[in-house]
Amino acid sequence: MSQAEDEYDVAVVGAGYGGAPLAALLASAGRRVALVEKTPRAGGKTQTLDRRGYRYEMFGAVGIPAVGSRVDELVEILGIQDRVRLLVPDGPAAAIRYRAPDGAWRVQHSPLRQTGDPEDLATLQRTFGATDADMDLLGTFYLSILSMSEDEVFALDDTGMLAFLRPFGLPAGLESQILATMNMLFVVPVDLLAASEGVLVLRQIVTGGAGRFHAGGYGQVAEACAAVVAERGGTFVRSTRVEEIVVEGGRAVGVRTSGRTIRARAVVSNAGIQPTVLKLVGAQHFPADYVAVVEGLEPSWSIAGLRYVLDDRVFDAALTPVFSDQSWLDSQRFAAMEAGDWPDVPLIAVDVASEFDPGLVAVPGHQVANIQVFVSPDPASPMADEAVRRAREVVADLWPGLERHTLWSEPYGPRQISRMTRDATVPGSGGEAVGIAQVVGQVGRSKPDARTPLPGLFLVGCDAGGRGAGTHQALDSAFNVADVVQAELG
Ligand SMILES: Cc1cc2nc3c(=O)[nH]c(=O)nc-3n(C[C@H](O)[C@H](O)[C@H](O)COP(=O)(O)OP(=O)(O)OC[C@H]3O[C@@H](n4cnc5c(N)ncnc54)[C@H](O)[C@@H]3O)c2cc1C
């Protein structure tokens, strides 16, 4: 039976790494899909900007795991190998800048994929001043997480990562390296981070490495998914905000934009659980206890930073975390920072996209880079400005040529993240870097279900349906929620 122009099987709100792949998977499976995105591009928080001949990420992103990820699976299923190239550089593309307890900076270069090479282990040992016995403890830690069954990993949903790690007795430096990594991957305090998520992603890093990029910009995979939707009988509507999810007879039946109503048998929202329930649908359409749970969900932290376009190769690695033993963040350390008590080195992540894809810059040898610090998700918080100011000082000290070689730089923080991607509907939220926090009580069985109590309405992205770090979690959700929606549509 032919459908009227604005009637679809599925309407998807938002083309982030949750929404765009979900829409493409459903379109490829023969569903007629309308994908509606309020910004001009697909990719959500990892969309790629194009300015004055330079391409760079709006908010910075690299993929974890580097190889063997669900992105490989997606490219295969959609058959988009001709337009998506996944980049994992060989050689020492990762670095660490660690400020040792004596105040000296130590530098370590390593490949993005762990090789198990004795020389790499020796470098790690030197960087963190670890003894042979310390390295044995580290080996015990990794062996024990690698030997766990999936069920054993998921049984850690209610255990905090810090509590899981501490009994291994690692020395401060090696512990700092793991905990700083956890902060950077999940953007939540390490005491509350669910150990199941931490262990899952550390295992992915051991087997698949950390640091995949997409040729042309990280957002390219999402753009390719949006194109698939349009090519396979659906539509991708850019620069169009969904104002309302339409409910009729106790069921979600479509979405309304300023100029159009799109009717669909199922509506899937990538706009975030709180904006979806409290704003796009309206709390009156849900049971009061569900609304109370949604209102009480904890957001992840935000990230503030600076995008740099540089006229020289200032940074010598694609990824560089910068930290001391005071930099990793639990709830207490973060609260101290919010109150104005900062560590000697705020935890900084430096991503240099042009080290993955030299084609991103207008002039060979130039760089596009991004420095990132961890701050409150509250768009009104003053923390972001202070964090960026402090990070800038540390980075200028480490890379003295940075300011001199800056063609231009663009600051950002929770205000911009919220404006671009996620409406602030609960006090203190909106600027989440990830989505709802992957903390104990909000992952696995305790994570919101992708099915909502409103028939016909589903959630996709980092708020429901997936596990893993950042975009990989959103994509895991896309696969899982596509199955749920297919079952619903029959
Ligand atoms: C600075 C920063 C650095 C990061 N670094 C990394 C990294 O290195 N690696 C990594 O994997 N992850 C990283 N992340 C996290 C990652 O970006 C997110 O986890 C992931 O992109 C979230 O995907 P999502 O699909 O759940 O949501 P989003 O990306 O937020 O997508 C939601 C989409 O819905 C759209 N939308 C919302 N409301 C509406 C509406 N009413 N109508 C129409 N469209 C709407 C938004 O515009 C957006 O496109 C980083 C995030 C930030 C902010």
Side-chain angles (χ1 to χ4, degrees):
M1 194 174 79
S2 73
Q3 290 166 306
E5 196 192 329
D6 268 1
E7 278 185 20
Y8 290 83
D9 293 319
V10 188
V12 182
V13 184
Y17 265 83
L22 165 104
L25 288 166
L26 291 172
S28 284
R31 302 295 179 182
R32 190 159 182 259
V33 180
L35 174 62
V36 187
E37 167 56 46
K38 73 183 165 112
T39 73
R41 290 165 288 269
K45 296 188 205 314
T46 60
Q47 54 187 274
T48 307
L49 303 173
D50 195 336
R51 292 184 178 158
R52 294 189 243 166
Y54 294 84
R55 289 178 67 78
Y56 49 96
E57 304 325 300
M58 170 99 62
F59 299 124
V62 295
I64 289 149
V67 296
S69 73
R70 299 216 80 171
V71 182
D72 297 83
E73 212 177 317
L74 182 75
V75 170
E76 182 74 29
I77 290 175
L78 298 180
I80 51 174
Q81 295 85 345
D82 56 332
R83 61 185 101 167
V84 166
R85 205 152 47 86
L86 306 181
L87 304 174
V88 183
D90 291 329
I96 287 175
R97 300 273 172 150
Y98 170 65
R99 192 172 198 189
D102 63 6
W105 283 105
R106 298 199 190 146
V107 186
Q108 176 195 317
H109 288 272
S110 58
L112 291 167
R113 293 190 65 187
Q114 294 181 10
T115 56
D117 184 341
E119 187 46 43
D120 287 342
L121 288 173
T123 312
L124 184 77
Q125 186 168 2
R126 272 196 305 276
T127 305
F128 293 104
T131 64
D132 288 348
D134 294 335
M135 294 305 283
D136 287 345
L137 293 173
L138 187 67
T140 306
F141 170 70
Y142 275 107
L143 276 178
S144 66
I145 64 168
L146 286 171
S147 61
M148 289 166 83
S149 69
E150 200 167 75
D151 284 347
E152 284 170 329
V153 174
F154 295 160
L156 295 173
D157 280 346
D158 298 325
T159 303
M161 187 67 199
L162 188 58
F164 175 78
L165 180 66
R166 277 276 148 90
F168 289 92
L170 299 179
L174 293 177
E175 194 179 75
S176 296
Q177 201 241 338
I178 293 173
L179 294 175
T181 303
M182 294 290 101
N183 285 141
M184 290 184 286
L185 292 173
F186 296 102
V187 204
V188 299
V190 289
D191 50 331
L192 303 182
L193 169 66
S196 51
E197 295 281 341
V199 167
L200 181 81
V201 176
L202 278 177
R203 283 156 49 121
Q204 290 174 348
I205 290 176
V206 173
T207 51
R212 161 184 30 84
F213 199 72
H214 308 155
Y218 198 85
Q220 285 302 102
V221 171
E223 282 285 358
C225 288
V228 164
V229 172
E231 289 159 11
R232 301 187 193 169
T235 181
F236 175 43
V237 188
R238 300 174 190 267
S239 304
T240 302
R241 173 186 274 275
V242 168
E243 309 280 354
E244 182 191 346
I245 291 173
V246 182
V247 179
E248 283 174 10
R251 186 179 175 85
V253 295
V255 300
R256 192 178 58 72
T257 70
S258 64
R260 173 177 183 192
T261 297
I262 295 170
R263 299 185 70 85
R265 294 166 60 204
V267 177
V268 189
S269 179
N270 187 203
I273 183 169
Q274 290 165 332
T276 300
V277 169
L278 305 174
K279 184 174 174 186
L280 295 177
V281 177
Q284 70 276 16
H285 294 292
F286 296 91
D289 55 348
Y290 183 75
V291 173
V293 169
V294 169
E295 285 175 334
L297 290 167
E298 278 296 316
S300 75
W301 292 329
S302 188
I303 295 177
L306 280 164
R307 303 186 276 260
Y308 283 98
V309 176
L310 305 165
D311 68 4
D312 202 356
R313 187 169 181 262
V314 172
F315 298 104
D316 60 359
L319 293 178
T320 309
V322 180
F323 59 96
S324 72
D325 290 341
Q326 272 65 54
S327 306
W328 58 264
L329 298 167
D330 59 8
S331 312
Q332 210 179 349
R333 287 179 171 194
F334 190 78
M337 272 171 30
E338 280 190 296
D341 183 7
W342 291 76
D344 57 340
V345 180
L347 177 59
I348 304 169
V350 182
D351 292 0
V352 187
S354 51
E355 291 293 297
F356 288 98
D357 181 358
L360 294 175
V361 290
V363 179
H366 286 196
Q367 274 189 328
V368 286
N370 196 313
I371 66 166
Q372 305 162 86
V373 265
F374 301 88
V375 299
S376 159
D378 185 349
S381 163
M383 194 180 181
D385 294 341
E386 181 62 14
V388 171
R389 191 186 67 71
R390 286 173 180 269
R392 208 172 188 153
E393 276 176 18
V394 174
V395 170
D397 183 28
L398 282 169
W399 290 278
L402 179 61
E403 296 299 327
R404 190 162 29 97
H405 288 293
T406 300
L407 288 175
W408 73 88
S409 65
E410 300 164 350
Y412 63 83
R415 256 193 314 278
Q416 291 75 17
I417 293 171
S418 178
R419 200 172 53 233
M420 286 302 299
T421 65
R422 192 173 174 108
D423 293 337
T425 45
V426 171
S429 75
E432 293 88 313
V434 175
I436 66 164
Q438 287 156 282
V439 294
V440 167
Q442 295 192 169
V443 302
R445 283 180 307 280
S446 311
K447 195 163 179 118
D449 200 317
R451 293 178 198 81
T452 72
L454 181 68
L457 177 69
F458 303 85
L459 305 166
V460 72
C462 285
D463 286 5
R467 285 190 187 260
T471 48
H472 202 244
Q473 180 188 200
L475 181 54
D476 189 44
S477 163
F479 274 103
N480 297 334
V481 178
D483 288 345
V484 172
V485 174
Q486 283 285 50
E488 164 84 4
L489 294 178

